[in-house]
Amino acid sequence: MIRACAVTDLPEGEALRLDGAAPIAVFHTEHGFFAIDDTCTHQDASLADGWLEGCFVECPLHAARFDLRTGAPTCLPAKAPVRTHRVVVTDGVVYVDALVPSVP
C-alpha cells in the first residue's frame, strides 16, 4: 500500500497524482475515495487534471469520460478502460494498493 495523503489534504471534488512507473490519480468524491491509472487510454493526458463529476472524471484533452468505480470509458474517444486500484482509509490517511487492481 502506498500512502497517498491525509484525508484532510484532499478536499471533496479534488484529485491528486501519485508519480511512479505507472502514475495513479486519487479522487475524493461525494461517494468516497477512488484511484485509477492517471493516464487517459485515448491519448497521454493526466486524468488528475480532468473534471470530476460524481463518480466520473472527464479527460482534459479530448473529453473522454471514465467511471471511477470500474475504470470503464463512458464515451468516445476512449475505448479502453483504465485500471482501478483499491483504496483504504485508515486513521485519517488515504492509502492506495498500487500493485493489485480492484475488482469492480
Side-chain angles (χ1 to χ4, degrees):
M1 297 293 274
I2 296 171
R3 184 186 190 283
C5 64
V7 169
T8 55
D9 291 339
L10 187 59
E12 187 177 306
E14 298 292 323
L16 66 85
R17 176 184 164 112
L18 300 175
D19 290 318
I24 295 173
V26 181
F27 299 89
H28 185 180
T29 75
E30 61 192 64
H31 303 286
F33 292 89
F34 297 91
I36 61 174
D37 281 355
D38 184 53
T39 305
C40 179
T41 57
H42 168 251
Q43 197 164 2
D44 291 339
S46 172
L47 295 173
D49 292 336
W51 295 276
L52 187 60
E53 186 175 331
C55 285
F56 300 90
V57 63
E58 183 177 303
C59 177
L61 195 56
H62 294 116
R65 261 171 75 105
F66 296 90
D67 187 322
L68 297 175
R69 298 164 292 193
T70 65
T74 61
C75 67
L76 295 173
K79 295 179 184 175
V82 290
R83 188 171 55 159
T84 61
H85 300 275
R86 187 169 62 101
V87 175
V88 175
V89 178
T90 304
D91 297 326
V93 177
V94 179
Y95 296 94
V96 176
D97 192 340
L99 299 178
V100 180
S102 67
V103 177

